[in-house]
Amino acid sequence: MTNCVNSREVGYKDLVKIAVQLNSETDLNRLLALIVREGNALVQAERTILFMLDHENHELYSKAWSGQDENEVRLPVGRGIAGMVAFDGEPIMLNDAVNDPRYSGGLFGHNVQSILTVAVKTSDGSITGVIQCLNKVAGSFEGADLELLTAFCDLAGLAIERTTFALEQKRLSAQLIFQAKHDALTGLPNRLMLEESLEKALEDAKRKKHQVAVLFIDLDRFKMINDSLGHTVGDALLQQVACRLQKGVRFTDIVARQGGDEFVIVLSVVKNLQSVNRIAESLLKALQEPFIVSGQELYISASIGISLYPTHGENVTEILRHADNAMYKVKDQGKNNFRFFVKDMDESEQRRLWLMTQLHKALELGELLLHYQPQVDIEQAKLVGLEALIRWNHRELGLVSPGEFIPLAEETGLIIPIGAWVMEEACRQAVEWQNRGLPPVRVSVNVSALQFGRDDFIDTVLHALDKSGLDPQWLELELTEGLLLGDTHSIAAKLNQLKEIGVYLAIDDFGTGYSSLRYLQQLPIDTLKIDQSFVRTLGTVQESPKTKALLKTIAMLGHNLDMRVIAEGVETSQQLDYLEEIGCQEIQGYYISRPLRVQELEGFIRQGGWVSRLNKPGAGRNVIPIQKWA
Ligand code: C2E
Ligand code: MG
Ligand code: MG
């Protein structure tokens, strides 16, 4: 007998100490090692093994050994001594193993004679593992050893349970943290984590005095693919994009998904601009390679805006915003490219860029509408025309002035679809008014140089007329002088074609453009619209004899060339008087009416209140009776 009463007393006392030790161990592997070590010492075994239960496979596997580790052993629950204990939880003590029918031998070396095997249970009594103590000497365990080890196993079970639970908690909270900071679709860091990581990268760069680059990447045709092929395809594409982006940068750089089809890359250590250029170029190239999603080839491209720390910004917000700005600039300039932020983009530039992106959506969101401003014949006190003036009712900003967004639309090329829409809508409205019984008046539509210059401009006009059914004589196109410069021959040809169709042609803002009067004689123009800047000074302290002379000349010129002359921006009766005096027969301006919404216009026409403003004693007689329009 190797065990003596004395050592067992020590064993019981030790149990308390062991309990404290087990309880203070937080690492599962260290805990298991401690269990086999202490269990072994407790019953004075030569070797002790801890098996854990693999619930899924209904197997035990050796997890910890006192002394040297050995290869993992697996045995089915119910088979072998340990398997049997794991099966019903009843301990087994063998003191003459080789002669015991339950012992099939062979498992743990040779000469094992005494085996003490006890189940390890959790607080609810379920078995989580088995401890097996071995001795080469037969008859080395007694009932007291069994009791001691059983008590020990209960402690061990609780300790394992506590540690595993803590571990699981830790794992769960780590998972939650991961989820909060990562994008579920691509597994990339999300915006939150991006901001944190960028913050760190910037701090690092400040200390070590190097640069950081932020690349804001927006896919160019993603929306179209997503809308036409469905979200599943879109999602798979985004995942592949995420992979390509990650492959395109160093392990230490950050690739994050900002949301939608926007990604952000942080190059945390930048040595020189060339390296950033190279990376941006290679990313663009990588994204141009076809993607295979559900068996079909998809092609996209990307627009990349880049900002640098410290050149383009000092903090996370600034750096990200500037990279974003630069990205929009790329979009506006034809996409599939990259560019660096330009530092002197000021507030107004930023608003401009933002408006550009908003304008893209304005048409499809139905935010564009037309107001109409009356044009009247002074002599006859008659409404002769309505100028269609576009309005953009932005959902957040309210009305944005065309003075602000038309130049943007021209810069981005959006003026083409917008212009086509204006033409169609104005024609449609004109026909609707005629159908409602209002006498026909000419509707004037402003045409931008970019629209006019296109080969399909005539088609656009024809299409609008066709679609609405408007008789061409009720449509007037307002062209600016600048638009008539260039290849006189082709311009003349286009204007002649338009005249053949039967629409009217006006020169808008006349007098402000290039003062080549030759075109007036050569081109088939019907109307001169005197720019408001000349009219505005009339009757004010700025009124000058020169301006007055100029106005007079224009009026005469118009007469002599057999053109209508209309003055824009007439606000006062003095202005009206002077214009009448010099023989300008038509006016448009706040004095008669501001541009009106469609709903207001009918009232304006029916009531005819403006006639009295013409201040002409005999006006009533010449007026086309307004009442008849009703
Ligand atoms: P525009 O064609 O010369 O239009 C006349 C502008 O003068 C309009 O400004 C009108 O509201 C304003 N106005 C009229 N009477 C008075 C007045 O008595 N006093 C003052 N101070 N202003 C007056 P709006 O509507 O802001 O349009 C500005 C410009 O935007 C237009 O100048 C035109 O060049 C352009 N625009 C408007 N709609 C369109 C469009 O559908 N297509 C294109 N390409 N350009 C458009
Ligand atoms: Mg105009
Ligand atoms: Mg004008």
Side-chain angles (χ1 to χ4, degrees):
M1 290 281 233
T2 48
N3 290 353
C4 64
V5 177
N6 232 1
S7 72
R8 285 206 191 93
E9 276 172 0
V10 172
Y12 274 109
K13 279 185 197 156
D14 277 353
L15 217 48
V16 180
K17 267 198 229 154
I18 292 170
V20 175
Q21 259 184 300
L22 292 182
N23 260 322
S24 53
E25 184 53 72
T26 51
D27 178 86
L28 184 63
N29 283 330
R30 282 205 301 267
L31 175 71
L32 300 181
L34 182 67
I35 288 171
V36 283
R37 205 165 58 235
E38 294 301 330
N40 198 60
L42 202 60
V43 296
Q44 298 186 349
E46 285 168 47
R47 200 94 160 94
T48 294
I49 312 153
L50 171 68
F51 293 93
M52 297 302 291
L53 189 64
D54 172 351
H55 292 272
E56 214 167 288
N57 295 310
H58 217 51
E59 277 180 344
L60 286 178
Y61 60 97
S62 58
K63 177 72 189 169
W65 305 73
S66 65
Q68 222 177 343
D69 276 354
E70 286 183 27
N71 287 340
E72 187 190 274
V73 176
R74 284 194 163 255
L75 30 121
V77 170
R79 293 259 306 277
I81 307 289
M84 282 189 262
V85 172
F87 181 72
D88 58 12
E90 288 303 313
I92 297 177
M93 185 166 76
L94 306 180
N95 271 314
D96 184 14
V98 277
N99 294 316
D100 196 301
R102 287 172 292 181
Y103 180 55
S104 51
L107 267 177
F108 318 108
H110 318 290
N111 315 313
V112 173
Q113 299 281 8
S114 304
I115 308 175
L116 181 54
T117 312
V118 178
V120 179
K121 297 175 183 169
T122 53
S123 53
D124 64 354
S126 58
I127 297 168
T128 184
V130 165
I131 284 181
Q132 191 160 56
C133 304
L134 312 166
N135 259 331
K136 287 179 186 154
V137 182
S140 53
F141 297 124
E142 295 177 355
D145 291 309
L146 177 61
E147 264 178 49
L148 201 56
L149 193 65
T150 307
F152 172 77
C153 281
D154 288 345
L155 292 177
L158 294 178
I160 291 174
E161 186 178 12
R162 177 185 48 76
T163 318
T164 327
F165 181 70
L167 206 69
E168 181 64 10
Q169 289 288 92
K170 233 190 197 160
R171 202 182 58 74
L172 263 180
S173 69
Q175 194 182 342
L176 284 181
I177 291 175
F178 183 88
Q179 281 168 358
K181 294 189 175 182
H182 288 76
D183 161 46
L185 180 68
T186 59
L188 293 180
N190 61 14
R191 184 196 226 111
L192 181 70
M193 173 131 180
L194 167 73
E195 285 175 7
E196 275 181 26
S197 313
L198 182 56
E199 181 92 58
K200 274 196 210 117
L202 295 185
E203 276 166 20
D204 217 42
K206 198 176 235 162
R207 251 183 299 117
K208 297 181 187 156
K209 303 219 176 322
H210 60 239
Q211 303 188 83
V212 175
V214 170
L215 283 68
F216 208 108
I217 303 169
D218 191 286
L219 306 183
D220 290 334
R221 264 187 301 282
F222 181 75
K223 191 179 164 347
M224 197 191 77
I225 291 179
N226 207 37
D227 289 350
S228 56
L229 300 178
H231 293 260
T232 322
V233 171
D235 283 356
L237 180 61
L238 287 175
Q239 286 168 334
Q240 291 191 27
V241 166
C243 274
R244 285 196 196 172
L245 292 179
Q246 273 179 311
K247 277 189 197 146
V249 297
R250 279 168 310 194
F251 179 64
T252 44
D253 296 328
I254 303 155
V255 179
R257 179 164 173 235
Q258 182 81 345
D261 59 348
E262 289 178 347
F263 294 85
V264 173
I265 291 183
V266 177
L267 306 175
S268 31
V269 181
V270 168
K271 298 233 167 62
N272 51 48
L273 283 190
Q274 282 84 335
S275 63
V276 182
N277 272 315
R278 255 199 320 275
I279 292 176
E281 257 163 27
S282 73
L283 289 172
L284 285 178
K285 222 162 127 204
L287 293 176
Q288 276 168 31
E289 294 292 314
F291 288 86
I292 313 281
V293 180
S294 335
Q296 53 189 327
E297 277 191 7
L298 301 178
Y299 291 85
I300 56 165
S301 59
S303 301
I304 305 182
I306 307 172
S307 67
L308 294 169
Y309 168 88
T311 328
H312 300 146
E314 293 282 328
N315 56 49
V316 170
T317 325
E318 243 173 45
I319 293 272
L320 282 175
R321 197 182 60 227
H322 289 166
D324 189 28
N325 274 348
M327 185 276 289
Y328 277 121
K329 197 98 192 179
V330 177
K331 288 260 179 215
D332 294 330
Q333 291 174 349
K335 307 178 179 171
N336 191 20
N337 208 342
F338 72 90
R339 63 174 285 153
F340 286 86
F341 173 71
V342 179
K343 198 167 188 174
D344 53 13
M345 282 185 193
D346 55 9
E347 284 286 309
S348 69
E349 173 73 350
Q350 283 173 26
R351 175 178 159 98
R352 233 171 58 85
L353 287 178
W354 187 72
L355 277 181
M356 276 189 188
T357 64
Q358 297 298 301
L359 195 54
H360 277 274
K361 300 183 206 145
L363 248 184
E364 68 188 72
L365 289 178
E367 290 178 342
L368 299 180
L369 65 154
L370 295 181
H371 283 186
Y372 295 86
Q373 188 174 33
Q375 304 174 331
V376 301
D377 182 303
I378 311 173
E379 195 54 43
Q380 300 182 55
K382 179 183 168 191
L383 180 76
V384 287
L386 293 166
E387 179 176 7
L389 292 161
I390 194 164
R391 296 293 176 259
W392 178 12
N393 194 1
H394 185 274
R395 60 210 171 284
E396 285 166 32
L397 300 171
L399 277 186
V400 184
S401 129
E404 186 170 20
F405 76 84
I406 290 288
L408 295 186
E410 284 172 340
E411 225 176 288
T412 53
L414 277 171
I415 192 69
I416 302 301
I418 291 178
W421 175 82
V422 171
M423 192 91 68
E424 274 190 32
E425 173 58 18
C427 291
R428 188 201 62 75
Q429 185 62 63
V431 170
E432 189 188 312
W433 278 322
Q434 291 181 13
N435 289 343
R436 287 166 65 81
L438 301 184
V441 283
R442 200 167 292 134
V443 174
S444 301
V445 170
N446 291 284
V447 173
S448 105
L450 210 70
Q451 272 176 288
F452 184 78
R454 281 177 59 112
D455 291 341
D456 60 0
F457 178 66
I458 304 273
D459 291 338
T460 314
V461 177
L462 283 174
H463 176 76
L465 290 170
D466 264 9
K467 194 170 168 191
S468 60
L470 183 69
D471 184 333
Q473 64 164 314
W474 301 118
L475 177 64
E476 180 166 67
L477 303 180
E478 291 195 6
L479 317 168
T480 51
E481 285 172 285
L483 179 154
L484 304 175
L485 294 173
D487 177 8
T488 327
H489 203 69
S490 70
I491 290 168
K494 222 174 222 177
L495 293 180
N496 284 324
Q497 248 178 300
L498 288 166
K499 274 317 303 172
E500 271 166 36
I501 293 169
V503 299
Y504 278 67
L505 300 173
I507 307 280
D508 201 357
D509 306 338
F510 184 75
T512 58
Y514 301 86
S515 42
S516 159
L517 294 179
R518 202 149 48 94
Y519 67 76
L520 285 187
Q521 184 202 347
Q522 290 172 350
L523 302 174
I525 305 293
D526 302 289
T527 310
L528 293 184
K529 292 192 79 176
I530 304 177
D531 190 66
Q532 351 187 333
S533 57
F534 299 112
V535 179
R536 196 174 301 139
T537 56
L538 290 178
T540 71
V541 282
Q542 284 137 26
E543 181 188 292
S544 76
K546 267 192 189 159
T547 313
K548 288 178 95 170
L550 213 99
L551 279 168
K552 207 169 178 170
T553 313
I554 297 175
M556 264 167 53
L557 189 78
H559 273 300
N560 293 342
L561 293 173
D562 208 16
M563 293 176 183
R564 283 168 65 215
V565 176
I566 176 164
E568 278 194 271
V570 179
E571 294 186 358
T572 64
S573 59
Q574 288 108 300
Q575 291 168 349
L576 168 69
D577 289 345
Y578 183 72
L579 291 164
E580 198 175 11
E581 186 187 316
I582 61 170
C584 168
Q585 65 272 46
E586 292 178 18
I587 59 166
Q588 173 182 346
Y590 295 172
Y591 186 64
I592 300 298
S593 167
R594 289 176 175 267
L596 298 172
R597 286 183 287 147
V598 171
Q599 307 89 293
E600 297 169 318
L601 198 88
E602 207 169 312
F604 169 87
I605 294 173
R606 289 186 196 283
Q607 282 149 20
W610 54 276
V611 174
S612 61
R613 244 167 283 152
L614 291 182
N615 211 10
K616 291 168 64 68
R621 273 180 280 124
N622 304 22
V623 171
I624 299 278
I626 305 293
Q627 305 81 287
K628 270 200 188 162
W629 292 27

